[in-house]
């Protein structure tokens, strides 16, 4: 941290003063800019490159109570070879008890294993349980942990409690990267999205993530825009780069490309890699593959051409 940020988390009052001292978000301006960027048109070769880039950024996700070992193995096979000569996705995201299955299936492929933790999706449990949940997933081989914050504590103004929980979970991650899920659909205001983004980054997040995918609205373009502005400004202030992961509701190639445009125009092309930008999705990959085939052959694949996840 720079000197100006060194003492931000020294006390609850200092942290509160800093977060509430951040510039307010112009809601109308954020909505209009996100809508304007969403009209950008990308064609032919550039579109083909954008589709492959988007595929390489996907965190292919299954987070259902009915998940099985077999489903996870099948999803891992698809993650490595989505279809034709398409690139592998960035990661597979599963519940902690299925991490070992994914690790075994993805061994030697370069595809990461991510796991939700910390009482996903509510975040409502003790710090001891959150740390234990994280440690178990890391011990099973998870490369990345997707942690959900306690929104009740955040919305009640208990910022230090949320900060300390993120710090503790980050420590439990060891070498694994930590993605902090803000659940923006429950934060009520764009100002809260900005504050939660900075809080997570100050506490040591490697990524900030919009949503669990269990709450609507999830990854809306204006929210992603605000989070991209936050990581850009945080790097300017600290020299430390943080990734962004919109998740939930991103289902079409058009949605994915809109996100890539947001990244390029807001944070810059330094973030246009899987190392710094991810798309959390379960159904997006098939649409990307269908659009990819359409560009290559002039024809859409049938609905049963690609496996359903």
């Amino acid at each position: 941290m720079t000197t100006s940020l060194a003492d931000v988390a020294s006390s609850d009052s200092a942290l509160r003063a800093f977060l509430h001292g951040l510039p307010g978000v112009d809601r109308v301006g954020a909505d209009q800019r996100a809508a304007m960027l969403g009209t950008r048109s990308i064609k032919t070769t550039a579109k083909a490159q954008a589709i492959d880039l988007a595929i390489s950024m996907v965190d292919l996700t299954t987070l259902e109570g009915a998940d099985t070992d077999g489903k996870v193995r099948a999803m891992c096979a698809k993650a490595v070879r989505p279809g034709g000569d398409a690139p592998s996705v960035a990661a597979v995201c599963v519940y902690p008890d299925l991490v070992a299955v994914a690790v075994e299936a993805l061994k030697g492929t370069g595809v990461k294993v991510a796991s939700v933790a910390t009482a996903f999706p509510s975040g409502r449990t003790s710090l001891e349980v959150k740390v234990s949940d994280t440690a178990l997933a890391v011990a099973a081989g998870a490369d990345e942990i997707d942690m959900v914050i306690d929104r009740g504590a955040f919305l009640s103004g208990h910022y230090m409690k949320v900060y300390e929980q993120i710090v503790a979970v980050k420590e439990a991650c060891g070498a694994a990267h930590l993605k902090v899920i803000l659940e923006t659909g429950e934060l009520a205001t764009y100002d809260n999205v900005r504050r939660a983004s900075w809080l997570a980054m100050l506490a040591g997040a490697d990524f900030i993530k919009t949503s669990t995918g269990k709450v609507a609205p999830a990854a809306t373009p204006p929210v992603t825009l605000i989070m991209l502005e936050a990581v850009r400004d945080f790097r300017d202030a600290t020299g430390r780069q943080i990734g962004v992961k919109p998740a939930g509701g991103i289902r079409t190639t058009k949605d994915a490309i809109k996100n890539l445009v947001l990244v390029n125009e807001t944070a810059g092309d330094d973030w246009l890699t899987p190392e710094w930008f991810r798309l959390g999705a379960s159904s997006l990959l098939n649409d990307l593959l269908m659009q990819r085939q359409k560009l290559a052959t002039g024809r859409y694949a049938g609905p049963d051409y690609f496996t359903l996840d």
Side-chain angles (χ1 to χ4, degrees):
M1 289 186 183
T2 59
T3 303
S4 61
L5 291 179
D7 297 324
V8 164
S10 61
S11 68
D12 188 63
S13 59
L15 184 58
R16 179 185 305 276
F18 175 81
L19 294 176
H20 283 266
L22 292 169
V25 179
D26 177 354
R27 186 177 190 94
V28 174
D31 288 344
Q32 289 180 342
R33 178 157 175 78
M36 181 272 291
L37 291 174
T39 64
R40 295 282 177 85
S41 180
I42 298 177
K43 303 293 186 183
T44 60
T45 303
K47 184 174 182 180
Q49 293 172 343
I51 288 173
D52 277 4
L53 180 58
I55 291 172
S56 75
M57 292 173 165
V58 167
D59 279 5
L60 193 57
T61 302
T62 184
L63 296 171
E64 303 299 333
D67 287 343
T68 64
D69 291 9
K71 181 179 180 180
V72 170
R73 290 190 191 98
M75 194 173 72
C76 289
K78 184 173 181 178
V80 176
R81 296 182 181 83
D85 61 348
S88 299
V89 305
V92 166
C93 186
V94 296
Y95 276 116
D97 62 312
L98 290 167
V99 166
V101 177
V103 168
E104 179 63 28
L106 293 171
K107 187 182 300 182
T109 66
V111 177
K112 304 293 187 184
V113 176
S115 178
V116 295
T118 67
F120 178 94
S122 71
R124 304 307 297 262
T125 191
S126 68
L127 178 58
E128 291 77 14
V129 171
K130 291 182 178 184
V131 169
S132 176
D133 197 26
T134 301
L136 287 170
V138 172
D143 302 295
E144 301 171 356
I145 296 295
D146 289 30
M147 167 199 183
V148 61
I149 67 167
D150 181 342
R151 282 85 71 196
F154 179 88
L155 291 170
S156 299
H158 300 311
Y159 301 132
M160 186 57 76
K161 177 181 179 181
V162 179
Y163 176 91
E164 289 174 344
Q165 289 185 345
I166 297 171
V167 169
V169 171
K170 173 62 177 174
E171 183 177 356
C173 283
H177 281 196
L178 176 62
K179 306 193 199 89
V180 176
I181 307 170
L182 310 180
E183 197 66 288
T184 54
E186 293 183 340
L187 295 186
T189 70
Y190 288 172
D191 285 343
N192 276 342
V193 173
R194 176 167 286 172
R195 289 172 188 146
S197 297
W198 274 85
L199 176 59
M201 293 187 294
L202 289 166
D206 298 298
F207 263 75
I208 50 175
K209 177 178 171 181
T210 60
S211 324
T212 62
K214 307 296 186 182
V215 171
T220 66
V223 159
T224 303
L225 171 70
I226 291 162
M227 292 170 65
L228 287 164
E229 289 176 341
V231 297
R232 176 199 65 199
D233 295 345
F234 186 81
R235 188 177 72 170
D236 287 345
T238 67
R240 182 167 162 251
Q241 188 162 336
I242 308 295
V244 175
K245 178 181 173 180
I250 304 172
R251 298 184 177 90
T252 68
T253 298
K254 184 178 292 186
D255 293 335
I257 291 176
K258 283 181 181 179
N259 274 279
L260 297 184
V261 172
L262 279 172
V263 174
N264 190 62
E265 296 297 323
T266 307
D269 59 8
D270 283 354
W271 271 266
L272 278 175
T273 74
E275 183 180 1
W276 299 112
F277 192 74
R278 299 285 182 83
L279 296 163
S282 55
S283 59
L284 170 64
L285 181 57
N286 274 7
D287 194 73
L288 288 166
L289 294 170
M290 290 174 69
Q291 292 292 336
R292 191 177 191 273
Q293 185 176 45
K294 171 65 164 54
L295 284 177
T297 67
R299 299 184 302 277
Y300 281 110
D304 58 352
Y305 189 85
F306 300 108
T307 59
L308 296 177
D309 302 312

